[in-house]
Amino acid sequence: MSNPKVSVIMAVYNVEAFIDEAATSVLAQDHSNLELVISDDGSTDGTLALAEEIQRRDPRRVKVLHEDANRGKAAAANRALSAAEGELLAWLDGDDQMLPGKLSAQVAVLERRPEAVGCCHDAEVFDSESGRVLGSFSSLYNGRPLREGGVELWFDPTYRSLPSATMFRASACPPHGLDTRLRRANDWLFDIEVFRRGTCAVIPEILVRYRRHADQMTTDRLRTEWFEEGLSVMDIVESRYPELRARARTSRAALLLGEARRLARAGRRREALGCVADAMRAGGVLGLARVAGHMLRAARQRRGAAATDIPAHRPAALG
């Protein structure tokens, strides 16, 4: 078996409390041929100084890039993508943690599966403040186990993936990288562009820890931003990839239906009805009914999982 180089990309901003732990979890991996590319996006705390200290401790395997001004996560990630030398690329948010054996497990799958352009696995979700384990990512966010597939997964309104759990081939990376015009949904468009090229293989194990912060709780403003950017993603997909137009229209209908539900709950019935009408035009009556059914079933599954989920695997403590 070959020993492909893996570039782990961390695009970071103001994560001084977590970056050392995240980087240590990468450098402790048992896959021998790796590099860690840390791209600091103009942090105003001690993140850059800590990143440079990590580089001094392991200069052979760590690269640090930085900007004087904050230009957004997409721009920081693109700098790292340009500097990465690996045949395989893996994301890690600066406050998440890899578990032992993560990279070697993903490399092994991609070595066995040449038709797969990427690989993902499950994650343990924990509360940042208390350290309490909340459950597995697949149960809390999808209500069911991860499943293997192609680009259709990223048009399923009931399916979510975690960047820190994803590895992909550098050859599948779109030449323009992430779209810097998008602030919230750039990773969604990026995944569509990667996995339109092939399969996403799945490892059912928990191989990363995902930190959930109190400030990640979704506000109405953030929901509106996600909704608007989601529509923009579908516009871009329709424009660039004609073969994905039908899927993009279904996803647009799902986004509009979700926004209609939010508006109705807020008492804005006239606007909600307008979104339902737009959703019907995008997906058709039958398409809209299918989308609504999928969304309701997934919501029930997520509620049940959130109340009962206990991870089958408790990871060993990270050193």
Side-chain angles (χ1 to χ4, degrees), residues 27 49 85 104 115 145 172 230 313:
L27 299 173
E85 298 177 358
S104 58
E115 86 287 359
H313 169 74

Side-chain angles (χ1 to χ4, degrees), residues 134-135 139-141 143 212 300-309:
L134 303 175
S139 291
L140 293 174
Y141 291 90
R212 195 158 81 178
R300 285 196 297 268
Q301 288 170 332
R302 286 195 298 273
R303 283 195 295 270
T308 62
D309 184 62

Side-chain angles (χ1 to χ4, degrees), residues 146-162:
L146 298 176
R147 66 186 192 274
E148 187 167 304
V151 73
E152 73 279 356
L153 294 176
W154 281 268
F155 292 96
D156 182 343
T158 69
Y159 187 82
R160 291 173 175 82
S161 63
L162 179 66

Side-chain angles (χ1 to χ4, degrees), residues 2-295:
S2 64
N3 187 29
K5 187 167 191 174
V6 177
S7 296
V8 178
I9 293 173
M10 288 174 52
V12 297
Y13 177 72
N14 286 358
V15 288
E16 66 175 343
F18 312 115
I19 186 173
D20 191 68
E21 191 173 34
T24 297
S25 77
V26 175
L27 299 173
Q29 291 290 304
D30 60 0
H31 183 72
S32 60
N33 192 10
L34 69 85
E35 67 173 358
L36 172 60
V37 186
I38 303 173
S39 180
D40 178 71
D41 190 30
S43 291
T44 57
D45 63 359
T47 297
L48 178 58
L50 286 168
E52 291 173 338
E53 173 58 28
I54 293 164
Q55 183 182 43
R56 280 192 290 273
R57 295 198 303 254
D58 198 339
R60 184 179 64 84
R61 296 192 296 168
V62 180
K63 296 177 182 175
V64 175
L65 315 169
H66 73 278
E67 284 281 353
D68 293 332
N70 179 243
R71 302 185 187 282
K73 191 170 184 178
N78 285 342
R79 286 194 298 276
L81 286 171
S82 297
E85 298 177 358
E87 300 167 51
L88 301 174
L89 306 173
W91 304 117
L92 184 71
D93 280 349
D95 54 357
D96 293 342
Q97 304 160 22
M98 290 187 176
L99 295 176
K102 167 192 158 66
L103 294 182
S104 58
Q106 291 188 287
V107 169
V109 168
L110 292 178
E111 289 284 275
R112 291 197 308 268
R113 301 277 305 274
E115 86 287 359
V117 297
C119 174
C120 70
H121 54 73
D122 212 341
E124 179 182 83
V125 183
F126 70 102
D127 177 68
S128 183
E129 186 173 343
S130 67
R132 183 172 65 92
V133 174
L134 303 175
S136 66
F137 184 91
S138 59
S139 291
L140 293 174
Y141 291 90
N142 292 333
R144 55 182 169 172
L146 298 176
R147 66 186 192 274
E148 187 167 304
V151 73
E152 73 279 356
L153 294 176
W154 281 268
F155 292 96
D156 182 343
T158 69
Y159 187 82
R160 291 173 175 82
S161 63
L162 179 66
S164 288
T166 305
M167 178 182 285
F168 56 98
R169 301 185 193 278
S171 59
C173 182
H176 48 268
L178 286 88
D179 195 318
T180 56
R181 295 172 297 177
L182 300 170
R183 175 179 168 83
R184 305 282 177 192
N186 48 67
D187 54 345
W188 185 15
L189 176 60
F190 183 87
D191 284 342
I192 289 171
E193 295 189 299
V194 167
F195 290 105
R196 60 182 284 270
R197 297 172 176 268
T199 300
C200 180
V202 167
I203 300 173
E205 300 171 45
I206 289 174
L207 294 173
V208 77
R209 302 190 76 214
Y210 170 63
R211 185 186 304 272
R212 195 158 81 178
H213 301 275
D215 61 5
Q216 287 173 327
M217 299 302 102
T218 307
T219 65
D220 280 346
R221 180 179 60 81
L222 291 179
R223 286 191 183 97
T224 299
E225 288 181 12
W226 275 108
F227 166 66
E228 292 173 349
E229 286 206 358
L231 294 180
S232 296
V233 167
M234 293 305 111
D235 288 342
I236 293 168
V237 169
E238 282 201 57
S239 174
R240 289 181 184 169
Y241 309 112
E243 73 278 10
L244 298 177
R245 281 177 183 163
R247 296 190 186 279
R249 288 168 184 160
T250 299
S251 282
R252 182 180 287 107
L255 287 165
L256 288 161
L257 199 59
E259 180 69 359
R261 186 179 178 187
R262 185 184 74 83
L263 292 169
R265 285 175 171 174
R268 297 159 64 181
R269 296 186 61 186
R270 185 182 297 247
E271 293 168 85
L273 289 172
C275 281
V276 170
D278 289 342
M280 193 170 296
R281 282 192 289 271
V285 176
L286 291 178
L288 191 62
R290 284 196 297 270
V291 167
H294 285 316
M295 293 172 72

